[in-house]
Amino acid sequence: MSRKQRMSLKLGKVQLPESISKAVNVRKENGEIAKRLQQISDEEGAVLLAFIAPYAGVRVSPIEERSASICMPEEWGIEYVLSEIEGQYPELDELKLYLLINSPGGVPASCYNIAHMIQACFRNITVFIPQVALSGGTFLALAGNKLVMGAASR
C-alpha cells in the first residue's frame, strides 16, 4: 500500500464541524496576499501551510491572560486542511510542503500527531521558523527535511 493510499484511508473526506471551525482558525488567505502566495506556490511547486500564533498572551480580564497554543482543535483543523489539499492534488506525496511555524508551542502529543499527519502526506518538507518554534512547535519543526532559520530564530 502506497503512502498516499495510507493517508487516504486515515483522512478520507473530513468535514470540519461548525463548532470546531469557530475554535480553530483554518482559512485560506484572500486578496493580494492570496495572489502572492499562489504565485510562490506555483513557482516553487509547493503547498504552503502556516502555524502562526502570537508569542505574548492577550489580557481578557484584569486577572486573566490567554495565549495561543497548538492542541487538539488544531489536530482536527490540520486533518481537515490535509484532506482538502489531498482532494486538489492527486500526486500529493510528490509535492513539496513549505511549512511556516511561528509559535510559542503547544501540547506535545497534539504537535506530534500533527507532525505525523504532515509526514504521511509529504515527503519533501521545508520548515521556515522566522522567530520561534518552542515546545510543541519544535515537534512540528522536526517533521521537516530541512529547517530554515534566521539569526534570531529559536
Side-chain angles (χ1 to χ4, degrees):
M1 183 179 296
S2 76
R3 197 169 142 118
K4 182 175 165 106
Q5 289 168 324
R6 286 193 310 271
M7 195 62 201
S8 293
L9 288 175
K10 283 194 275 181
L11 289 178
K13 182 65 174 163
V14 177
Q15 295 296 321
L16 196 60
E18 187 176 331
S19 59
I20 294 172
S21 68
K22 289 179 182 178
V24 180
N25 181 2
V26 176
R27 66 180 173 87
K28 295 179 181 178
E29 292 293 339
N30 303 331
E32 289 302 314
I33 291 174
K35 290 177 188 174
R36 181 63 184 127
L37 290 173
Q38 187 62 56
Q39 181 183 6
I40 293 168
S41 178
D42 293 343
E43 289 171 1
E44 297 292 326
V47 171
L48 309 178
L49 183 62
F51 279 88
I52 302 172
Y55 188 69
V58 175
R59 184 157 307 280
V60 294
S61 78
I63 60 169
E64 186 179 357
E65 190 174 281
R66 292 200 181 150
S67 60
S69 71
I70 301 165
C71 54
M72 184 70 74
E74 284 71 31
E75 287 185 58
W76 301 322
I78 196 66
E79 185 177 16
Y80 169 77
V81 168
L82 291 175
S83 70
E84 289 291 307
I85 293 169
E86 183 181 38
Q88 291 178 2
Y89 301 99
E91 300 302 323
L92 186 61
D93 61 352
E94 294 177 14
L95 288 174
K96 294 185 282 188
L97 174 67
Y98 284 177
L99 177 61
L100 178 95
I101 302 171
N102 193 57
S103 173
V107 177
S110 290
C111 294
Y112 175 83
N113 289 340
I114 291 168
H116 185 71
M117 284 188 272
I118 290 170
Q119 286 179 327
C121 282
F122 297 94
R123 290 187 180 160
N124 185 350
I125 304 166
T126 301
V127 177
F128 297 89
I129 304 170
Q131 294 176 336
V132 295
L134 303 176
S135 183
T138 303
F139 279 106
L140 286 180
L142 294 175
N145 308 93
K146 180 180 179 182
L147 294 176
V148 179
M149 300 173 71
S153 300
R154 48 189 174 135

